Amino acid sequence: MRGLLTGILVLSLAGCSLIRPQTGEGVAATALPYRSNLARGEDRRDVTVTVRAPGASLEDIRESARFPVTRYCLSFYGASAADWTIDPATGDWAVVREGENLILNARCTAR
């Protein structure tokens, strides 16, 4: 009886993968528009994200930067909250262009 219940439980859990799309460890369910690299600052709460995005829209750049920062803050500080460096001229996220790379800075604010 115990073996039958275990078998039913295993099969029902295995069936979940047929309904929901599979994602690998640390992989987004949908691809981000551009690849990004995250680097920690001297203070571990400070991070710099570099996005290689020639000709990208600002929204694509933001989403490509937001995902690794959210994942980093959540992993190390238990919450996804981050404050982004703001450009005083535009009141929007500060984006520095270095060739084809766009650089953004944020700070994890949890705890």
Side-chain angles (χ1 to χ4, degrees), residues 34 36 47-66 84-106:
Y34 299 96
S36 58
V47 293
T48 299
V49 181
T50 303
V51 180
R52 184 175 178 88
S57 72
L58 185 56
E59 187 56 36
D60 286 346
I61 293 164
R62 282 185 184 149
E63 194 57 34
S64 297
R66 185 183 352 241
W84 292 86
T85 301
I86 301 297
D87 181 348
T90 64
D92 206 351
W93 290 9
V95 178
V96 177
R97 182 177 296 276
E98 285 185 3
E100 292 184 342
N101 293 327
L102 300 161
I103 301 167
L104 299 96
N105 294 297

Side-chain angles (χ1 to χ4, degrees), residues 12-109:
S12 65
L13 290 175
C16 292
S17 67
L18 299 175
I19 298 169
R20 146 176 84 81
Q22 291 292 310
T23 58
E25 178 77 16
V27 177
T30 58
L32 294 174
Y34 299 96
R35 185 175 301 269
S36 58
N37 296 316
L38 183 136
R40 289 191 304 216
E42 284 186 33
D43 182 339
R44 288 180 52 146
R45 289 184 182 275
D46 296 327
V47 293
T48 299
V49 181
T50 303
V51 180
R52 184 175 178 88
S57 72
L58 185 56
E59 187 56 36
D60 286 346
I61 293 164
R62 282 185 184 149
E63 194 57 34
S64 297
R66 185 183 352 241
F67 180 76
V69 170
T70 299
R71 183 175 55 196
Y72 175 82
C73 293
L74 190 58
S75 297
F76 287 96
Y77 299 102
S80 61
D83 283 339
W84 292 86
T85 301
I86 301 297
D87 181 348
T90 64
D92 206 351
W93 290 9
V95 178
V96 177
R97 182 177 296 276
E98 285 185 3
E100 292 184 342
N101 293 327
L102 300 161
I103 301 167
L104 299 96
N105 294 297
R107 179 172 176 80
C108 297
T109 58

